[in-house]
């Protein structure tokens, strides 16, 4: 039939870039950006351009693997492997109860539009409290704690309308991520530069002069973990100079006096010294941000991973609130979300309180006083819940698109936990670090072999943009979609899975379209309709401008207000101010970064990406290297209070002195001095979820880690 070209979208990461894909004889031959797509305009990143390698790699699993009695993997038909998993689940549930089963949804699983809800649905059908996602590893505060201070029902300002933006530890040019209100992760560098031509002022706070920092009007090299000092100092200036929106605050905000009192101690001199920035730059940044009429402050994962995550996100919420960076009555809502089932109406008012943790009825962990965050448990109790005998001990785990041995903190402890399980099931197209430790490895379809919708990326679409892509390539061997695996396990167990649209049929497996329609029931346009419209458009995106929601007037019967003194805030800021900056007798702090050639732990097996970045470089300021007689390319040992890893030193004057910058969740747990140049070390080994963690979310310190270095 020759080469056939189709429109689709990438699912290597959450940006979902529009693509053209060439298929020949059922195989992926080439991919490239779709220049006619109205949102992406031909943009793709180097990771997405390696989809042919990902689909056709000789290292990819085409069959599932099950360990035999001698501990060796045997290729096993999918249905036999799923029957084995189901039988083991039934045995374990009968012996230990439903909480003995755990399900983890990792970054890779999110790239399948149905996998997250299928995983949650199976967990709830089994009756286990042990449902985990990667959200609690890197950014739980912005998801689970900010709504306690209030949420504007109309949403925040769009980046496309912003005249000022503040990025705190967020490098969307590489990560292709920003919270709502930040730059959409499709051609982010061009979007920023285009907005700057129209007058946008950009402020970037980051210990490392990352790619986005090079575009900034004001760059603030904040010390890692000291973001609260910077933000409190900016609020101090805004209050002292009365730069906040007094009318909005009077109408909608409580707790302002308490916040003002708490930030009073963070004068520009005090805040600048603590944060490690110049006072004049801090003041200028505060004036620039408050002087804009639209535009938000947003964070990446780094500030949350560096400690004080909840406090940092609280102060960002305060900045956006006192400067009134929200959509108002009559405006189109910022994120229409074609497939997103909205919680409440889009109105120009504060939403009713929506506690997401600490509420009666939410399950508790046995460790560190932590508990459920909405419907999931914090990842940083998983190892203890596995290793510690007693009621509720986890005995079986399914990892969907995750890599817990590499991605979790306290790596060596997590390894012991995985080995302690009676059954560890890894859904993975590769023999990843976690797959090597599994009892069963289930081989899934890859993205161009399955149907999907753009429900993940639509948090960044400012238009009512939607896609439904068909399966375009033939799946090799005996592989199926993740949702089919999870449904089959549920069917074998005889449990009833449910979705927002009702009961999932358990006697006959639903099609992907049927599952997606049930999954997003009540959304603006159901997937089945988008599928029809996309087919008529030749597989292209569909934009439903006529269905874009408009912000309604406030409901006069509701009078909720922002509560900036809710919970432990802003008292927590006073406690932070009284503490000395983090010191642990170690000379350096290791900060996390993103890699252009990886998406968290995903991408390691792809040969072309591996050639671009063969290791996980340890970037250090040249003066720090010279002081320790370390040269570019030297192997160094990096030690924290908990463990050691190795890295390949590389000088960079874009890193503050006293810091080491490395990518997190990198490499393989078998990395050591002997193979660090080919594999790279995982910084997660240096951390402990037991010592330094957020008391609400349980998030462990995974950046700003105190370390020392020496030649290896």
């Amino acid at each position: 039939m020759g080469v056939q070209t189709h429109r689709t979208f990438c699912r290597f990461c959450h940006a979902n870039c529009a693509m053209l894909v060439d298929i020949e004889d059922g195989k992926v031959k080439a991919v490239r950006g779709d220049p006619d797509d109205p949102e992406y305009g031909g943009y793709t990143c180097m990771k997405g351009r390696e989809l042919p390698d990902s689909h056709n790699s000789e290292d990819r699993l085409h069959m599932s693997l099950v360990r035999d009695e001698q501990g060796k993997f045997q290729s096993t038909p999918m249905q036999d492997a799923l029957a084995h998993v189901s039988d083991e689940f039934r045995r374990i549930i009968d012996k230990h109860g439903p909480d003995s089963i755990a399900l983890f949804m990792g970054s890779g699983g999110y790239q399948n539009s149905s996998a997250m809800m299928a995983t949650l649905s199976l967990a709830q059908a089994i009756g286990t409290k042990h449902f985990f996602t990667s959200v609690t590893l890197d950014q739980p505060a912005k998801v689970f704690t900010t709504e306690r201070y209030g949420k504007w029902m109309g949403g925040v300002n769009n980046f496309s309308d912003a005249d000022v933006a503040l990025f705190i530890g967020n490098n969307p040019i590489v990560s292709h991520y920003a919270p709502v209100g930040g730059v959409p992760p499709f051609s982010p560098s061009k979007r920023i530069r285009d907005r700057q031509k129209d007058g946008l002022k950009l402020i970037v706070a980051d210990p490392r002069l990352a790619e986005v920092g090079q575009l900034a009007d004001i760059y603030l090299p904040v010390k890692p973990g000291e973001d609260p000092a910077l933000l409190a100092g900016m609020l101090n200036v805004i209050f002292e100079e009365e730069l906040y929106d007094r009318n909005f605050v009077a109408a909608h905000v409580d707790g302002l006096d308490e916040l003002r009192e708490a930030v009073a101690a963070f004068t520009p001199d005090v805040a600048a010294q603590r944060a490690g920035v110049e006072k004049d730059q801090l003041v200028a940044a505060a004036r620039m941000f408050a002087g804009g009429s639209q535009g938000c402050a947003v964070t990446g994962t780094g500030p949350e991973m560096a400690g004080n995550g909840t406090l940092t996100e609280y102060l960002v919420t305060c900045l956006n609130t006192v400067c009134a960076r929200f959509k108002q009555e009559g405006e189109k809502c910022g994120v229409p979300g074609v497939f997103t089932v909205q919680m409440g109406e889009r109105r120009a008012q504060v939403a009713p309180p929506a506690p997401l943790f600490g509420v009666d009825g939410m399950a508790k962990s046995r460790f560190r006083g932590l508990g459920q965050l909405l419907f999931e448990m914090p990842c940083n109790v998983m190892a203890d819940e596995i290793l510690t005998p007693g009621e509720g001990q986890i005995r079986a785990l399914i990892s969907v698109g995750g890599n817990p041995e590499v991605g979790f903190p306290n790596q060596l402890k997590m390894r012991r936990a995985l080995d302690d399980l009676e059954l560890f099931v890894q859904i993975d197209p590769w023999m990843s670090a976690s797959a090597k430790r599994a009892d069963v490895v289930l081989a899934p379809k890859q993205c161009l072999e399955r149907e999907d919708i753009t429900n993940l990326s639509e948090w960044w679409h400012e238009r009512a943009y939607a896609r439904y892509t068909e399966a375009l390539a033939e799946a090799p061997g005996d592989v199926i979609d993740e949702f089919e695996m999870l449904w089959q396990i549920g069917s074998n167990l005889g449990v009833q899975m449910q979705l927002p649209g009702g009961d999932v049929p358990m006697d006959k497996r639903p099609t992907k379209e049927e599952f997606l329609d049930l999954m997003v029931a009540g959304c603006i346009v159901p997937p089945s309709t988008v599928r029809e419209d996309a087919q008529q458009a030749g597989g292209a995106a569909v934009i439903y401008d006529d269905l874009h929601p408009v912000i309604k007037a406030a409901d006069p019967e509701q009078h909720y207000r922002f509560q900036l003194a809710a919970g432990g805030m802003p008292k927590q800021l006073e406690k932070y101010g009284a503490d000395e900056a983090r010191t642990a007798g170690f000379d350096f702090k290791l900060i996390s970064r993103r890699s252009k050639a990886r998406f968290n732990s995903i991408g390691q097996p792809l040969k072309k990406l591996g050639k671009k970045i063969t290791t996980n470089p340890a970037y250090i300021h040249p003066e720090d290297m010279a002081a320790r007689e370390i040269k570019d390319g030297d192997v160094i040992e990096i030690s924290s209070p908990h463990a050691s890893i190795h890295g390949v030193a590389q000088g960079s004057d874009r890193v503050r002195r006293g810091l080491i910058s490395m990518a997190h969740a990198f490499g393989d747990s078998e990395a050591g001095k002997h193979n660090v140049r080919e594999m790279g070390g995982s910084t997660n080994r240096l951390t402990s979820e037991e010592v330094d963690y957020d008391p609400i979310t349980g998030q462990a310190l995974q950046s700003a880690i105190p370390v020392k270095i020496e030649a290896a």
Side-chain angles (χ1 to χ4, degrees):
M1 294 179 62
V3 176
Q4 295 182 311
T5 301
H6 303 270
R7 286 189 169 92
T8 187
F9 59 90
C10 180
R11 279 144 283 166
F12 198 109
C13 82
H14 36 238
N16 288 170
C17 295
M19 279 185 164
L20 299 175
V21 55
D22 294 336
I23 304 291
E24 184 176 23
D25 297 329
K27 288 191 173 183
V28 182
K29 302 298 291 184
V31 298
R32 58 198 174 277
D34 184 351
D36 296 325
D37 186 87
E39 287 280 68
Y40 296 86
Y43 176 80
T44 58
C45 78
M46 69 166 65
K47 298 185 287 292
R49 292 192 290 271
E50 297 307 321
L51 285 183
D53 186 17
S54 179
H55 283 66
N56 302 324
S57 171
E58 61 186 17
D59 296 324
R60 180 185 172 185
L61 296 176
H62 292 181
M63 289 282 289
S64 297
L65 303 173
V66 178
R67 288 192 191 273
D68 60 21
E69 293 180 355
Q70 287 71 46
K72 296 187 179 300
F73 280 124
Q74 300 296 334
S75 295
T76 306
M78 177 64 72
Q79 292 305 314
D80 291 348
L82 292 171
H84 171 69
V85 171
S86 304
D87 289 345
E88 285 295 283
F89 270 25
R90 173 53 59 202
R91 176 186 67 79
I92 292 169
I93 292 170
D94 288 346
K95 182 177 180 181
H96 301 288
D99 283 337
S100 62
I101 307 297
L103 296 92
F104 168 62
M105 177 77 179
S107 299
Y110 277 105
Q111 311 324 311
N112 183 330
S113 57
S114 62
M116 192 274 185
M117 286 301 293
T119 308
L120 174 61
S121 179
L122 178 58
Q124 292 177 335
I126 290 172
T128 178
K129 68 181 180 183
H130 287 131
F131 172 74
F132 304 85
T133 81
S134 54
V135 168
T136 63
L137 287 173
D138 57 16
Q139 54 182 333
K142 66 171 60 74
V143 176
F144 297 114
T145 66
T146 52
E147 282 194 30
R148 74 189 310 193
Y149 316 116
K151 179 181 180 181
W152 190 253
M153 296 172 69
V156 297
N157 295 156
N158 288 128
F159 181 80
S160 62
D161 300 321
D163 51 16
V164 66
L166 170 58
F167 295 169
I168 305 142
N170 180 218
N171 184 19
I173 294 175
V174 172
S175 69
H176 294 91
Y177 169 81
V180 176
V183 60
F186 350 112
S187 194
S189 177
K190 183 179 184 300
R191 284 176 181 268
I192 292 169
R193 288 182 278 110
D194 286 348
R195 289 297 305 134
Q196 287 178 318
K197 290 176 184 177
D198 292 334
L200 173 79
K201 298 299 181 183
L202 176 62
I203 308 160
V204 173
D206 199 312
R208 180 177 69 94
L209 182 58
E211 288 79 355
V212 72
Q214 295 176 308
L215 300 178
D217 295 279
I218 296 177
Y219 167 61
L220 301 165
V222 60
K223 292 179 182 177
E226 304 299 345
D227 306 283
L230 174 68
L231 297 169
M234 292 178 66
L235 283 163
N236 179 291
V237 173
I238 289 169
F239 286 138
E240 288 297 313
E241 299 185 8
E242 297 191 348
L243 303 177
Y244 61 97
D245 190 320
R246 299 180 71 176
N247 289 330
F248 182 86
V249 167
H252 301 289
V253 179
D254 287 337
L256 190 76
D257 291 341
E258 291 90 336
L259 174 63
R260 187 200 296 267
E261 182 179 350
V263 302
F266 289 87
T267 63
D269 284 318
V270 171
Q273 181 178 11
R274 176 77 181 258
V277 301
E278 295 181 9
K279 180 184 75 171
D280 291 346
Q281 289 290 84
L282 184 152
V283 173
R287 291 170 177 167
M288 181 178 286
F289 183 76
S293 61
Q294 295 194 68
C296 299
V298 298
T299 64
T301 57
E304 284 200 43
M305 293 168 65
N308 300 310
T310 299
L311 179 58
T312 298
E313 296 299 338
Y314 162 75
L315 292 169
V316 169
T317 297
C318 291
L319 266 178
N320 289 329
T321 300
V322 302
C323 293
R325 298 303 161 84
F326 304 111
K327 289 282 187 176
Q328 299 298 327
E329 178 184 349
E331 296 183 86
K332 285 187 174 182
C333 74
V335 180
V338 174
F339 296 121
T340 301
V341 181
Q342 297 297 323
M343 302 295 289
E345 296 182 282
R346 324 271 189 117
R347 292 185 178 274
Q349 65 188 117
V350 180
L356 302 182
F357 62 91
V359 177
D360 289 344
M362 285 188 175
K364 299 290 289 184
S365 168
R366 295 181 291 159
F367 300 95
R368 293 181 281 287
L370 300 172
Q372 235 172 0
L373 303 167
L374 189 55
F375 46 68
E376 62 185 280
M377 295 295 285
C379 281
N380 293 333
V381 301
M382 184 191 288
D384 283 322
E385 293 285 9
I386 294 171
L387 290 168
T388 308
E391 185 176 352
Q393 181 185 12
I394 295 172
R395 295 286 76 213
L397 169 67
I398 299 183
S399 168
V400 185
N403 196 353
E405 181 164 348
V406 171
F408 277 52
N410 206 337
Q411 185 183 69
L412 298 180
K413 179 180 178 180
M414 194 66 211
R415 176 191 292 183
R416 294 196 307 273
L418 296 177
D419 289 345
D420 188 70
L421 289 163
E422 295 181 35
L423 179 71
F424 174 31
V425 182
Q426 175 76 8
I427 300 178
D428 209 319
W430 316 99
M431 287 307 294
S432 64
S434 294
K436 292 173 185 176
R437 313 202 79 81
D439 300 294
V440 178
V441 184
L442 300 175
K445 289 182 177 180
Q446 292 208 41
C447 64
L448 298 176
E449 300 158 358
R450 65 175 190 251
E451 301 164 28
D452 274 315
I453 57 175
T454 48
N455 56 328
L456 179 63
S457 61
E458 69 179 8
W459 286 104
W460 297 283
H461 283 289
E462 299 173 357
R463 304 164 71 184
Y465 175 105
R467 302 193 73 138
Y468 193 120
T469 189
E470 307 293 338
L472 302 174
E474 294 178 6
D478 188 12
V479 299
I480 62 175
D481 196 320
E482 283 98 327
F483 98 90
E484 296 175 304
M485 300 177 189
L486 298 161
W487 177 89
Q488 188 64 60
I489 293 170
S491 179
N492 291 346
L493 290 174
V495 297
Q496 177 61 62
M497 296 171 65
Q498 292 183 318
L499 293 168
D503 289 349
V504 178
M506 301 305 294
D507 54 344
K508 180 182 179 182
R509 187 181 67 211
T511 64
K512 186 73 171 275
E513 178 187 290
E514 291 169 339
F515 191 92
L516 292 171
D517 272 357
L518 280 172
M519 186 182 87
V520 297
C523 66
I524 294 176
V525 186
S528 54
T529 301
V530 175
R531 184 180 203 173
E532 294 175 359
D533 294 341
Q535 288 172 342
Q536 293 179 10
V542 185
I543 298 178
Y544 297 96
D545 280 332
D546 57 329
L547 299 178
H548 195 133
V550 175
I551 308 302
K552 299 178 183 178
D555 182 347
E557 300 299 317
Q558 293 190 348
H559 304 284
Y560 300 105
R561 295 167 65 87
F562 287 101
Q563 301 292 335
L564 300 187
M569 303 298 176
K571 290 292 185 182
Q572 189 64 35
L573 179 60
E574 297 176 8
K575 181 179 182 298
Y576 162 85
D579 292 341
E580 294 184 3
R582 293 178 185 274
T583 58
F586 289 78
D587 299 321
F588 286 84
K589 288 185 179 179
L590 186 146
I591 60 173
S592 63
R593 62 183 287 145
R594 298 284 180 174
S595 169
K596 288 184 178 181
R598 301 288 190 277
F599 173 48
N600 293 332
S601 64
I602 303 169
Q604 187 81 11
L606 302 182
K607 292 179 180 178
K608 291 182 181 179
L609 289 181
K611 289 178 181 178
K612 296 179 189 299
I613 300 179
T614 60
T615 188
N616 188 6
Y619 292 98
I620 309 172
H621 195 282
E623 294 179 16
D624 285 335
M625 292 176 63
R628 286 159 178 77
E629 299 182 344
I630 295 171
K631 300 180 180 62
D632 277 351
D634 285 355
V635 175
I636 59 175
E637 184 174 11
I638 305 163
S639 301
S640 76
H642 312 292
S644 296
I645 62 171
H646 290 86
V648 179
Q650 185 167 329
S652 173
D653 59 7
R654 290 164 57 188
V655 179
R656 286 183 66 119
R657 290 205 65 181
L659 300 184
I660 303 172
S661 176
M662 298 179 71
H664 67 282
F666 195 99
D668 192 292
S669 62
E670 302 298 332
K673 179 182 177 181
H674 65 291
N675 61 2
V676 67
R677 296 185 191 277
E678 295 78 36
M679 188 172 289
S682 175
T683 63
N684 301 56
R685 186 177 298 188
L686 300 171
T687 65
S688 171
E689 84 287 19
E690 300 177 29
V691 177
D692 202 342
Y693 61 90
D694 187 290
I696 295 174
T697 65
Q699 184 183 26
L701 184 74
Q702 295 178 82
S703 187
I705 305 167
V707 296
K708 55 187 176 183
I709 63 173
E710 58 186 355

